[in-house]
Amino acid sequence: MRPELVARLGENVPRYTSYPTAPHFHTGVDAAICRGWLQALNDGDEISLYLHIPYCDKLCWFCACHTKQTRHYEPVTTYLRSLHAEIATVAGLVAGKGRVRAAHFGGGSPTMLKPQDIVALGTVLRNSFTFLPGAKISVEIEPNDMDDARLDALAEIGMTRASLCVQDFDPKVQKAINREQSFLQTKTVVDAVRSRGVESVNLDLLYGLPHQTRESIASTVAQALTLEPDRIALFGYAHVPWFKKHQTMIDEAWLPGPAERFAQSQLAACLMLNAGYETVGMDHFAKPNDALAVAARTGTLHRNFQGYTEDRCETLIGLGPSSISQFRQGYAQNMPSTAEYGRMVAEGGLAAVRGIALSEDDRVRGWIIERLMCDFAFSAIELVERFGEAGQRLLLKASSTALHGPARLLELDGDRFVVPAKSRPFVRSIAAKFDRYFETGTARHSVTV
């Protein structure tokens, strides 16, 4: 533990999967604005798609996603009709100009869909959009949902990457978060997707969960490594019961403190590095030949609403309630309410209700923050080459404050502003402080988790 760093940098801060972050979105960006941004795509543009399935058949108490539990399939059927309608509208506005490089199915639990609905959704996407050869199709998988029919359906839609939520294999921890999932269940699904030709498997692990200890973390990581995942995401549990009421089911007395959380994260990271995985950004690990590790080594790593990615598309179209789209012009978020979303997309409507248009200052800050989060550094020369006077203006503030001011956030290596190695576990806080200290008239900093 580094007490002095934790004291300076241990605050709750934005995740920075976008800049500006979602708390700054406003109703000035609506369906009409989003419609114009969709129509403004160019013929040669490559796009990514995100499809949100806002249902689970069992609610995990640690979850902070936009989802709801349902024991009946009728609401899902109704929702899928709305999702198909939105796909048709968006595809009509894009008018074949965007070619799909990647599609991601998230939730909620996409795999609670019936096999025939999985296939139908995959079919309507390919009939509505032009998919590039080799387009990546990734799906978040809940192992408790899986059977041979669903596995076959995922293979039929061309899934290339399976992402399995594990969290922790310790039964006591699993019971405390209402997510019981044995190692054997997980292994069975991993083996099954690989036998169907899936080229990449990702496992999501969490630290800071109720009843977690360094011993349980070490055991979970050891078991996960026997599955030889291509990637591992290691996230810290965010306890926000004021935001997600079901987290009140978790007794705060069961949660590890800051020092223990930090120790758990560092132990898990060391175990994965010792096993031959490479660090990708601040919380991902990948085998050296994985595309994510290659992107991290070559400076082509990016960060979007799904986290770290090698996806280079400038446009990400979000489909479904609460989904966020990213355009060159800005961000647009759909109505979160599933019922209201359904009413809005009926008869050719769009569901965007909030967002933000990007200023030039936003673009400069966003690029710097993304490079800090991905590379732990940014190049002063590249900053000015990309953004001209706006980049030069922020660079002058960076030079005077980041290197010599009271914060002393970064070090200088040639033309590169670099996060010191000892501070890299706190890079999100450094990005937030960078945003806060170098304010201009359009500063966008906000504290969140």
Side-chain angles (χ1 to χ4, degrees), residues 155-176:
E156 187 171 340
I157 69 169
M159 180 175 69
T160 60
R161 178 172 300 123
S163 184
L164 282 73
C165 296
V166 170
Q167 322 316 345
D168 191 297
F169 284 123
D170 188 298
K172 185 177 181 180
V173 175
Q174 291 183 352
K175 185 175 181 180

Side-chain angles (χ1 to χ4, degrees), residues 31-233:
I33 297 293
C34 185
R35 183 178 293 268
W37 289 351
L38 285 165
Q39 291 173 323
L41 287 172
N42 299 317
D43 286 338
D45 285 351
E46 294 184 359
I47 63 176
S48 295
L49 302 175
Y50 171 76
L51 292 90
H52 189 67
I53 308 300
Y55 290 100
C56 298
D57 44 23
K58 185 178 181 180
L59 195 60
C60 302
W61 293 337
F62 69 88
C63 182
C65 298
H66 176 76
T67 187
K68 61 179 69 175
Q69 181 181 6
T70 179
R71 298 182 183 276
H72 305 285
Y73 200 72
E74 290 82 2
V76 180
T77 299
T78 300
Y79 167 66
L80 287 174
R81 286 197 292 268
S82 299
L83 182 59
H84 282 236
E86 185 188 19
I87 291 169
T89 299
V90 169
L93 293 169
V94 170
K97 290 183 291 185
R99 299 173 298 167
V100 177
R101 170 69 62 185
H104 183 91
F105 294 74
S109 297
T111 50
M112 77 169 291
L113 298 184
K114 292 180 178 178
Q116 61 267 31
D117 288 332
I118 293 173
V119 172
L121 191 53
T123 299
V124 76
L125 283 177
R126 291 189 182 273
N127 289 342
S128 302
F129 297 95
T130 301
F131 277 66
L132 289 164
K136 305 298 182 184
I137 311 295
S138 56
V139 183
E140 296 174 14
I141 289 179
E142 155 62 291
N144 288 292
D145 289 335
M146 299 311 293
D147 53 30
D148 282 339
R150 283 184 171 84
L151 289 161
D152 290 341
L154 293 174
E156 187 171 340
I157 69 169
M159 180 175 69
T160 60
R161 178 172 300 123
S163 184
L164 282 73
C165 296
V166 170
Q167 322 316 345
D168 191 297
F169 284 123
D170 188 298
K172 185 177 181 180
V173 175
Q174 291 183 352
K175 185 175 181 180
I177 61 175
N178 200 37
R179 176 59 178 264
E180 296 177 87
Q181 172 186 323
S182 70
F183 172 76
L184 181 58
Q185 280 178 294
T186 306
K187 183 180 187 304
T188 298
V189 174
V190 170
D191 291 344
V193 297
R194 282 180 168 151
S195 72
R196 288 166 172 80
V198 168
E199 63 190 40
S200 179
V201 172
N202 172 80
L203 300 182
D204 285 350
L205 306 182
L206 283 179
Y207 63 88
L209 288 171
H211 300 307
Q212 262 185 331
T213 64
R214 274 170 269 184
E215 290 73 20
S216 72
I217 285 282
S219 176
T220 290
V221 172
Q223 291 178 84
L225 290 173
T226 66
L227 302 177
E228 298 188 359
D230 301 275
R231 302 176 180 180
I232 301 175

Side-chain angles (χ1 to χ4, degrees), residues 206-395:
L206 283 179
Y207 63 88
L209 288 171
H211 300 307
Q212 262 185 331
T213 64
R214 274 170 269 184
E215 290 73 20
S216 72
I217 285 282
S219 176
T220 290
V221 172
Q223 291 178 84
L225 290 173
T226 66
L227 302 177
E228 298 188 359
D230 301 275
R231 302 176 180 180
I232 301 175
L234 177 67
F235 300 123
Y237 166 59
H239 189 62
V240 287
W242 58 90
F243 178 60
K244 292 295 181 179
K245 296 299 183 184
H246 54 263
Q247 289 191 355
T248 59
M249 301 297 292
I250 295 176
D251 190 332
E252 293 185 2
W254 300 342
L255 297 174
E260 176 63 21
R261 281 174 59 96
F262 184 79
Q264 290 176 9
S265 69
Q266 296 303 289
L267 173 61
C270 286
L271 291 171
M272 287 183 275
L273 293 174
N274 291 340
Y277 287 75
E278 294 185 359
T279 303
V280 176
M282 63 181 179
D283 52 21
H284 282 53
F285 301 84
K287 290 183 174 180
N289 61 345
D290 182 86
L292 205 62
V294 173
R297 288 197 303 271
T298 57
T300 57
L301 187 66
H302 294 286
R303 188 167 172 83
N304 63 19
F305 295 104
Q306 281 77 60
Y308 288 109
T309 178
E310 72 276 19
D311 182 1
R312 63 178 182 267
C313 297
E314 287 188 278
T315 301
L316 169 65
I317 299 176
L319 301 162
S322 80
S323 292
I324 300 176
S325 296
Q326 177 178 352
F327 301 95
R328 293 187 186 92
Q329 300 91 333
Y331 299 99
Q333 184 171 25
N334 279 355
M335 162 63 65
S337 165
T338 305
E340 185 61 26
Y341 160 85
R343 287 189 285 271
M344 294 181 72
V345 299
E347 299 180 1
L350 293 175
V353 293
R354 61 196 294 264
I356 195 165
L358 296 176
S359 69
E360 187 63 14
D361 186 74
D362 292 332
R363 299 179 202 280
V364 178
R365 291 167 180 272
W367 182 83
I368 290 173
I369 288 172
E370 183 180 39
R371 293 330 323 146
L372 289 175
M373 301 283 279
C374 292
D375 304 331
F376 302 110
F378 70 91
S379 163
I381 292 175
E382 186 175 0
L383 173 66
V384 175
E385 287 178 345
R386 280 178 174 268
F387 300 104
E389 184 179 341
Q392 180 69 39
R393 183 174 62 249
L394 192 57
L395 179 61

Side-chain angles (χ1 to χ4, degrees), residues 7-9 11 16 19 365 369 394 396-398 400-403 405-410 429-440 443-445:
R8 279 205 304 140
L9 302 173
E11 62 185 321
Y16 286 119
Y19 188 87
R365 291 167 180 272
I369 288 172
L394 192 57
L396 291 174
K397 293 191 175 186
S400 62
T401 306
L403 302 176
R408 294 189 300 279
L409 301 174
L410 307 174
S429 291
I430 289 173
K433 287 182 181 292
F434 185 98
D435 190 14
R436 187 184 304 144
Y437 288 137
F438 309 134
E439 290 183 355
T440 68
R444 303 288 192 182
H445 176 78

